[in-house]
Amino acid sequence: MYTQSFNVPDTPGLRSVPLAPSTESAESQARFDNKIDADGKIEPQDWMPEAYRKTLVRQISQHAHSEIVGMLPEGNWISRAPSLKRKTILIAKVQDEGGHGLYLYSAAETLGTSRDQMLEGLHSGKAKYSSIFNYPTLNWADLGVVGWLVDGAAIMNQIPLCRCSYGPYARAMIRVCKEESFHQRQGYEALLVMMKGTVEQKAMVQDAVNRWWWKCLAMFGPPDADSPHSAQAMRWGIKRISNDDLRQKFVDATVPQAKVLGVTLPDPDLKWNEERQHHDYGQIDWDEFWSTVNGNGPCNKERLATRVKAHNDGQWVRDAALAYSRKRQTQAIKEAA
Ligand code: 3HC
């Protein structure tokens, strides 16, 4: 459905935005600018403007937090999956999300920010993570819809990041997207099975689609006109496609999938626009989005409390690993003496 072959433009967009020149080093700045203009990769050892570094740390750490917090709404269904097959798939999926978080924290660490600093940001509520994970998964149909729509939206956003200008982020995203593609397909397949079931099962799927649709559209971030970071991030080749364009691609891709599934997307304004060659869609509730982003969604407090508790409960593992590493170091010094 969404694959690595999803095309993105060859050149970063919004050319009119300047490269935010730095006063740090004109020569280094020129080398950086040339590389960005040639669509090359910036690597950790390369000089980069502080604003570029800061933007990457912000985006990659938010992304990592989203993967880790994203394990929670699905993880609590592992014990209630309806069959052994579904349980196995769900365990693999939740584990994949944990792995994605780890690749991304590692990518952000190459920019000089420690994992502890990033986790401190998450646990204190200062750092953001995706709005979508602050909504509850009420029943099994929600798990299918999270795979189909939430992971579907995530892939749409993340495939262009495989060509991001920062090498470690781009390379991490290649594997992440392959796994997300499996996540999306397993969700869609689970829903196809439910839609062949009883009247009640079909109603559950429709109800879940009704509750998740608008929240998935908001996941792409504020409209381009209200997105403070987009223009500069696109100029730097970090973002390749704008929030609104990705949202539109997602709507266009999802409409035929909904038809095959036999569900109605809950938007009376959703219709094909011959002139634009895209679907028109209705108004997203941005007040609700910002309220959720700012900590007042239905599950924000619960999600953070669960994360903080898991981190604190794991302290003994970190202590034990450190003690073991110190013991080995002491032994090595003794042997060398
Ligand atoms: N949820 C929470 N905050 C959001 C958001 C969302 N859905 N969309 C935007 N925001 C925040 C931004 O982080 C920014 O806040 P900040 O200034 O405090 O950092 C503010 O709203 C303004 O938005 P911008 O559009 O200007 O910000 P960006 O240019 O960073 O674009 C983004 C936002 C499109 C989410 C971009 O950061 C991005 O592409 N990130 C990488 C992908 C990612 O993080 N996806 C999250 C989902 S991961 C996932 O779904 C896991 C999977 O397993 C399902």
Side-chain angles (χ1 to χ4, degrees):
M1 284 180 173
Y2 310 111
T3 72
Q4 299 292 78
S5 63
F6 174 69
N7 265 340
V8 296
D10 279 335
T11 49
L14 300 179
R15 281 275 163 193
S16 60
V17 177
L19 270 171
S22 129
T23 49
E24 293 163 70
S25 157
E27 202 183 306
S28 307
Q29 178 76 51
R31 218 174 303 126
F32 172 86
D33 292 353
N34 289 340
K35 217 178 220 182
I36 294 287
D37 282 340
D39 210 10
K41 289 273 177 282
I42 306 296
E43 296 296 340
Q45 66 276 15
D46 294 339
W47 181 91
M48 62 189 86
E50 270 318 296
Y52 176 82
R53 185 187 299 277
K54 226 171 127 191
T55 293
L56 281 168
V57 170
R58 180 187 62 79
Q59 177 167 329
I60 303 173
S61 62
Q62 286 179 1
H63 191 168
H65 300 328
S66 303
E67 300 281 353
I68 298 293
V69 177
M71 296 167 76
L72 301 176
E74 294 184 285
N76 66 14
W77 276 91
I78 291 173
S79 60
R80 292 174 284 168
S83 68
L84 187 56
K85 174 181 150 183
R86 296 289 170 201
K87 190 192 287 273
T88 317
I89 293 172
L90 188 57
I91 290 171
K93 178 179 190 297
V94 171
Q95 190 171 292
D96 283 352
E97 308 295 8
H100 298 172
L102 298 184
Y103 311 147
L104 290 164
Y105 283 129
S106 300
E109 280 174 319
T110 65
L111 292 154
T113 301
S114 72
R115 180 104 35 129
D116 283 347
Q117 283 171 306
M118 291 184 265
L119 289 180
E120 212 300 293
L122 175 66
H123 297 161
S124 64
K126 274 186 246 140
K128 290 195 168 70
Y129 59 86
S130 183
S131 49
I132 198 74
F133 300 121
N134 292 305
Y135 297 99
T137 40
L138 300 181
N139 59 47
W140 183 252
D142 287 40
L143 274 273
V145 169
V146 165
W148 173 38
L149 296 180
V150 174
D151 291 292
I155 305 169
M156 196 55 95
N157 167 283
Q158 292 174 8
I159 284 178
L161 293 173
C162 298
R163 295 190 53 222
C164 153
S165 61
Y166 187 58
Y169 192 21
R171 289 188 287 275
M173 290 317 298
I174 292 172
R175 176 152 178 191
V176 170
C177 285
K178 285 186 178 156
E179 291 176 351
E180 290 296 353
S181 182
F182 151 70
H183 298 171
Q184 195 266 354
R185 284 159 201 239
Q186 66 78 36
Y188 193 66
E189 193 268 341
L191 294 177
L192 280 171
V193 171
M194 284 187 84
M195 290 302 286
K196 288 192 193 115
T198 61
V199 173
E200 288 81 4
Q201 284 172 313
K202 290 179 195 171
M204 276 168 75
V205 175
Q206 183 61 59
D207 170 60
V209 170
N210 293 348
R211 282 181 288 107
W212 287 91
W213 173 248
W214 289 104
K215 288 147 183 61
C216 289
L217 293 195
M219 257 177 92
F220 292 93
D224 293 350
D226 303 327
S227 160
H229 303 298
S230 279
Q232 185 64 69
M234 289 183 76
R235 181 62 188 94
W236 275 326
I238 297 173
K239 277 168 101 158
R240 297 277 174 163
I241 304 183
S242 78
N243 297 358
D244 283 333
D245 287 351
L246 283 170
R247 194 169 5 252
Q248 181 71 64
K249 278 177 185 291
F250 176 71
V251 172
D252 290 342
T254 308
V255 167
Q257 294 166 10
K259 211 169 182 183
V260 171
L261 197 57
V263 294
T264 307
L265 297 172
D267 178 359
D269 297 324
L270 185 65
K271 57 174 180 310
W272 178 250
N273 182 324
E274 192 58 35
E275 199 180 322
R276 289 198 315 118
Q277 290 289 299
H278 287 295
H279 291 87
D280 292 337
Y281 55 91
Q283 271 301 317
I284 295 169
D285 184 345
W286 291 112
D287 290 341
E288 193 216 317
F289 168 79
W290 287 117
S291 161
T292 302
V293 170
N294 291 325
N296 303 312
C299 301
N300 295 57
K301 290 180 183 64
E302 180 190 329
R303 298 285 185 248
L304 260 195
T306 309
R307 274 312 318 154
V308 171
K309 180 177 183 312
H311 185 74
N312 292 342
D313 288 352
Q315 186 61 46
W316 70 271
V317 180
R318 294 187 294 280
D319 289 346
L322 263 179
Y324 180 65
S325 153
R326 283 198 197 108
K327 203 166 145 189
R328 289 198 61 175
Q329 259 175 2
T330 314
Q331 243 165 12
I333 293 168
K334 260 192 206 156
E335 278 164 20

